[in-house]
Amino acid sequence: MNRREFLGAMAVAPLAIGTQPASPVRRSFEITTRIELPEEHDAAIAWVPLPLGRPAPYQVDRGHTLGGNAERSRVVRLPGSDTAIAVAEWGHMMPAPIFVVTARVETTNHRVALSPVNGAKRSADLAAYLKPAALIPIGGIVKETADTITRGHRTPLAQARAIYDWIVEHTVRDPEVKGCGLGDIRWMLETKNLRGKCADLNALFVGLSRAAGLPARDLYGLRLAPSTQFPSLGRAGGNVTTAQHCRAEVWIDGKRIDTTPFSNAISIPEGEHKVSLKNPFFVEETRKIVVKRGATETLHVAMVRK
């Protein structure tokens, strides 16, 4: 059982439970962002990204309101994209600047069928997602790495899967990285430092995909509610200022192997084993598994806080 299979097991089990509703269940959310700036400067500007404005099968923008005491507030769109940003400006700092943005969205679960491929043609707007960016080049070492990874894979889906698998096997989430990381993929590949956070690892996938001729882009957002499929992608509670992610130590047959997500692939000999997940803030979970030669055993574990 390797890193990818174990992490995948954490999510696949719920797919076999229950039935899908006849129509998608839509949920509505209201997200309020409040910025308060100190009175330490002569002027200030603040910006807040707004929800995705273009039509999408998984999210509908239901509008927003701007509040606070800004001298001037407006919504701008980044050139060549669908990204909308609320901007507030102050020419003085008395009283202390306050900017409040309230956004309303409607979401629904969305799943893309990867097989069979329907043979659809690429639309013209996808060309933007094949271009390089300042921190996501598509030439040099990025192109060389993409060519090596996708060699022998003929279809776009097979190439995308190969890139995804390569990233899962070779990268490590580093909790010491500040914020979400910088996403400087040329530096990551040249230094062979494949440790980072979401902005680093996702940018690496986007860059390698574009270098292989596959349109790809980053999507940034907030985790607003618990996920029914991928616990790490969900968020419980009403405060989404931060979205902590919890990992667990993995023990197999009484020996500590690694901490999820695994930093290296592991294999388990055939036979019966005891797998334990331990975290000081959660109740220990133990499972017995029987591994057969050539087979993959999957586990789904939802740890309970103490």
Side-chain angles (χ1 to χ4, degrees):
M1 182 166 59
N2 64 30
R3 174 192 181 199
R4 179 174 60 259
E5 292 163 347
F6 188 92
L7 293 179
M10 307 282 274
V12 298
L15 299 181
I17 299 175
T19 58
Q20 293 293 324
S23 59
V25 176
R26 293 191 174 275
R27 296 182 294 180
S28 297
F29 297 93
E30 184 173 274
I31 308 100
T32 299
T33 302
R34 181 181 177 91
I35 297 176
E36 298 182 11
L37 301 177
E39 304 175 4
E40 298 176 356
H41 304 282
D42 295 331
I45 183 170
W47 59 270
V48 176
L50 294 173
L52 188 66
R54 66 175 177 80
Y58 50 84
Q59 180 173 301
V60 178
D61 180 11
R62 294 303 185 189
H64 61 271
T65 56
L66 307 182
N69 58 7
E71 294 181 14
R72 182 187 178 199
S73 61
R74 65 193 188 281
V75 174
V76 299
R77 293 191 176 274
L78 298 184
S81 77
D82 299 309
T83 304
I85 297 175
V87 181
E89 297 179 78
W90 296 265
H92 58 82
M93 306 295 279
M94 293 290 289
I98 297 175
F99 189 35
V100 180
V101 179
T102 301
R104 290 166 291 277
V105 297
E106 187 177 279
T107 69
T108 186
N109 289 341
H110 180 61
R111 188 179 303 167
V112 176
L114 298 181
S115 179
V117 179
N118 61 17
K121 301 295 184 180
R122 290 183 183 176
S123 57
D125 60 338
L126 292 182
Y129 306 132
L130 285 167
K131 296 179 180 179
L135 296 178
I136 305 181
I138 59 175
I141 193 171
V142 179
K143 174 63 174 173
E144 295 168 6
T145 304
D147 288 346
T148 299
I149 295 171
T150 59
R151 185 174 294 121
H153 299 279
R154 297 186 178 278
T155 68
L157 182 58
Q159 293 168 349
R161 169 60 68 178
I163 294 171
Y164 174 85
D165 289 346
W166 185 90
I167 290 176
V168 170
E169 297 292 349
H170 291 82
T171 65
V172 180
R173 183 184 184 278
D174 187 350
E176 300 301 319
V177 170
K178 292 183 179 180
C180 294
L182 295 177
D184 187 343
I185 67 171
R186 178 191 285 118
W187 179 87
M188 294 174 67
L189 293 172
E190 288 179 346
T191 62
K192 295 181 171 56
N193 184 349
L194 300 181
R195 307 175 67 90
K197 284 189 178 176
C198 56
D200 300 307
L201 308 188
N202 287 312
L204 187 57
F205 177 83
V206 170
L208 291 172
S209 296
R210 291 182 180 182
L214 305 173
R217 65 171 179 171
D218 295 296
L219 276 179
Y220 293 88
L222 288 174
R223 295 176 286 182
L224 299 178
S227 171
T228 58
Q229 290 183 279
F230 304 95
S232 64
L233 297 184
R235 173 69 171 171
N239 188 339
V240 293
T241 302
T242 59
Q244 291 92 356
H245 177 71
C246 180
R247 291 177 285 174
E249 291 182 334
V250 176
W251 296 64
I252 298 178
D253 298 335
K255 180 181 178 181
R256 180 186 180 280
I257 300 298
D258 210 333
T259 300
T260 59
F262 298 152
S263 56
N264 295 289
I266 65 170
S267 60
I268 301 176
E270 62 180 318
E272 183 175 295
H273 301 272
K274 182 175 72 173
V275 179
S276 297
L277 287 85
K278 302 179 181 180
N279 186 288
F281 303 105
F282 288 79
V283 177
E284 179 179 337
E285 293 286 343
T286 300
R287 301 285 189 275
K288 284 186 178 180
I289 63 172
V290 177
V291 178
K292 298 180 181 179
R293 181 181 298 273
T296 298
E297 297 298 326
T298 61
L299 296 176
H300 173 78
V301 180
M303 301 186 75
V304 178
R305 185 176 291 275
K306 293 180 179 179

